[in-house]
Amino acid sequence: MRSVLFVAALVLAAGCGGKQTTAAEWRQLAASDAVKVLKGDDSPYRIIYNPPVDLAKKPGS
């Protein structure tokens, strides 16, 4: 039983030391076409302005 736990711990420790990604790879991923499709529009024209509605009762109405 101890040997099974020891082997499992070794396998997990070996699996955790995977390849480290670099900043260049992240920039390349962020500039890909798939990410561009999912991004929202950053222009100020995407915001539709509605003035606030006054819900208070006016005197005399």
Side-chain angles (χ1 to χ4, degrees), residues 47-52:
I47 300 171
I48 300 172
Y49 176 74
N50 291 321

Side-chain angles (χ1 to χ4, degrees), residues 1-7:
M1 182 67 178
R2 288 183 187 179
S3 62
V4 172
L5 291 175
F6 182 71
V7 170

